[in-house]
Amino acid sequence: LDMEMPECNGIDVAKRLKEDGSSVRVLALSAHDSVHFINGVLASGAYGYLIKEEMPEVILEAVRGVAQGQKDWLSDRARNRREKFFTDEGDPLSKLSGREREILKLIGQGCDNLTISNLLSISERTVRNHVSNIYTKLKFHTRAELVAWAWEYGLLK
């Protein structure tokens, strides 16, 4: 499964296969080493993620392993990207409260503070406080930075 295809991306395909209860075992093979793609496809039920620069023997071994039901096939580069992300950041969502995670997702969907306050039945001032806490905990200064970061690392759907 590749990450970039004409009509959809690999994450969507893996998700759809999982939701449909398919017995297909997904192994992603991609030129991308973005944590967003890696985490997204693994969270969608893929058995592994390899970078296209892998030696052919490694790819063949992974294909055979996945065919036998083995999971967690990651190329060294993909594994290093994930480990660096979680080492540098810890689990970023663990820094946020449940309400802050909710607000982060709504921000990612393009909602402004007034819309968020209406959707969550809280005051706009409370939303502003939560947004400020999110910025502080994740060390961002603008909504654009926050949303770009959250999308890059697969924290938004």
Side-chain angles (χ1 to χ4, degrees), residues 25-27 47 50 56-71 73:
R25 295 180 183 136
V26 173
L27 174 64
Y47 280 49
L50 300 178
E57 300 81 31
V58 173
I59 295 171
L60 185 57
E61 183 183 355
V63 169
R64 287 181 175 145
V66 167
Q68 294 171 0
Q70 298 172 6
K71 291 187 175 189
W73 281 91

Side-chain angles (χ1 to χ4, degrees), residues 1 3 9-15 18 25-29 33-51 66 70-75 77-83 86 153-154 157:
L1 177 65
M3 290 297 98
N9 67 46
I11 295 171
D12 294 335
V13 171
K15 233 182 253 184
K18 184 177 180 181
R25 295 180 183 136
V26 173
L27 174 64
L29 180 63
D33 67 352
S34 163
V35 175
H36 164 71
F37 283 125
I38 297 166
N39 288 344
V41 79
L42 293 175
S44 298
Y47 280 49
Y49 193 101
L50 300 178
I51 306 300
V66 167
Q70 298 172 6
K71 291 187 175 189
D72 300 322
W73 281 91
L74 288 175
S75 66
R77 192 162 127 196
R79 180 176 279 100
N80 290 340
R81 287 282 293 171
R82 288 185 88 221
E83 287 174 1
F86 286 108
Y153 291 104
K157 293 184 179 182

Side-chain angles (χ1 to χ4, degrees), residues 103-113 115-116 143 147 151 156:
I103 290 172
L104 173 59
K105 285 184 180 187
L106 291 170
I107 290 170
Q109 294 171 7
C111 297
D112 61 17
N113 289 353
T115 302
I116 293 170
R143 239 177 167 87
V147 170
W151 275 107
L156 302 174

